[in-house]
Amino acid sequence: MSRADSMASPAVMTWRRIAAIKGASFTVPFFLGFVLFTAVPIVLALRESMYTTKSSGLGFGEKTIELSGLANLLKGVGDERFWAGMGRVALFAAISIPLIQVASVAVALLLDAATRKVAARFRLALLIPYMIPGIVATLIWIYLYSPDVGPLTPFFALFGMDADFYSGELIWVSIGNLMAWGGIGFNMLIVYAALQAVPREIFEGARVDGASELRIAWSIKVPLIRRSLVLTTVLSIIGTLQIFSDPMLFRSMAPETVTRDFTPIMGIYDWAFAQGDFNYAAALSIILALVVGLASAIFYRFTNKAPTS
């Protein structure tokens, strides 16, 4: 018996090695995409930020490219308008992300408590907004917010409310509503999948011990899906700090409210394609990438600590 096992072990090890290689091969497309569309652009942006393009005379002469080292990065660190946009987005993220997360968890818990047939119907309906392309969704809400042709302004007027969704007081509420419309369904799906992976026997045992459904949800279900909540929150932080298309389209309706550097990405876009300073735009991109990475890492570090006894 031992001799047969010793003869079979090399074959078993070879089979396991082949299976591991086949499993790892599924990650190749991801790593290729990461290298081509994330790592390489960051390296190129860092290289571009080390140079400065100058024009002789009044700007009509021949352009020359000079090595400037860290000058563009240092300029970006002291750029008040860039950091003002960063502050607006950070405050928006601090308010909108927790609200969206709470709504996503609440919906996921309700679906988990429902029957599979009912949950399947509502799950699809809640996911449809996320499936709609972001530009299309923004255009739909721009129409709904429009004071001339949209239905929302006349509706609020029936109650004596003058709702200007493009004003400085409501512009972030309008953008936040748009983000929640598409983000709740995505987060809900991840959280709901995590809840479905939890053994039902745990909940049945808690019910036998006399725990209410609310107690089970708060004390058992939510702690068990903690990793999924961290994942969705990190993804929300990354996406919100880089918000671009929504305020960019809103700018067409309210240019006096949504300025060209309203968000960090909009400021970078303006420097690159409106003012033609690709070197400084690349430096700002590096700074933004560092801020996003640092914010995500700090959140992950403080929320992924092992509980102490």
Side-chain angles (χ1 to χ4, degrees), residues 248-300:
M248 194 67 178
L249 289 176
F250 273 81
R251 176 168 165 74
S252 63
M253 299 298 296
E256 69 284 351
T257 302
V258 183
T259 58
R260 63 185 185 180
D261 52 4
F262 192 65
T263 68
I265 288 287
M266 290 180 65
I268 294 172
Y269 177 88
D270 181 75
W271 275 105
F273 299 103
Q275 304 186 46
D277 193 344
F278 288 94
N279 305 109
Y280 185 53
L284 292 180
S285 300
I286 295 297
I287 295 174
L288 177 61
L290 291 175
V291 171
V292 172
L294 183 62
S296 302
I298 291 175
F299 176 82
Y300 181 82

Side-chain angles (χ1 to χ4, degrees), residues 69-257:
L70 300 177
N72 285 321
L73 290 172
L74 295 176
K75 179 183 175 182
V77 171
D79 192 332
E80 295 182 359
R81 298 177 66 179
F82 174 77
W83 290 107
M86 187 73 73
R88 282 190 290 267
V89 172
L91 180 60
F92 172 69
I95 297 174
S96 63
I97 291 178
L99 294 177
I100 293 175
Q101 286 292 85
V102 169
S104 302
V105 172
V107 173
L109 289 173
L110 289 174
L111 292 180
D112 185 68
T115 62
R116 290 186 178 272
K117 186 176 182 180
V118 173
R121 293 177 180 176
F122 281 93
R123 185 172 68 246
L124 178 61
L126 291 169
L127 194 60
I128 287 177
Y130 172 75
M131 297 164 60
I132 298 175
I135 300 296
V136 176
T138 304
L139 292 175
I140 291 174
W141 281 98
I142 285 178
Y143 163 76
L144 294 175
Y145 290 145
S146 174
D148 300 321
V149 297
L152 295 180
T153 299
F155 173 77
F156 283 102
L158 296 176
F159 302 94
M161 301 172 61
D162 183 16
D164 183 4
F165 295 99
Y166 299 122
S167 64
E169 294 78 13
L170 291 180
I171 189 65
W172 279 117
V173 176
S174 303
I175 296 175
N177 178 63
L178 173 59
M179 293 188 63
W181 186 67
I184 289 177
F186 173 77
N187 293 343
M188 173 275 301
L189 187 65
I190 295 178
V191 175
Y192 178 73
L195 286 171
Q196 290 297 297
V198 178
R200 302 288 106 175
E201 293 81 4
I202 298 177
F203 308 144
E204 295 299 331
R207 293 187 182 97
V208 171
D209 292 339
S212 64
E213 293 298 323
L214 183 61
R215 181 68 174 177
I216 293 174
W218 179 255
S219 300
I220 300 178
K221 291 184 177 181
V222 172
L224 289 175
I225 60 172
R226 182 166 167 266
R227 291 185 179 273
S228 296
L229 295 178
V230 172
L231 170 64
T232 54
T233 305
V234 169
L235 294 177
S236 299
I237 291 173
I238 295 173
T240 304
L241 292 181
Q242 299 181 89
I243 184 173
F244 174 71
S245 61
D246 299 346
M248 194 67 178
L249 289 176
F250 273 81
R251 176 168 165 74
S252 63
M253 299 298 296
E256 69 284 351
T257 302

Side-chain angles (χ1 to χ4, degrees), residues 1 9 66-67 84 95 108 152 182 194 274:
M1 186 68 179
S9 59
E66 300 178 359
L67 180 65
I95 297 174
L152 295 180

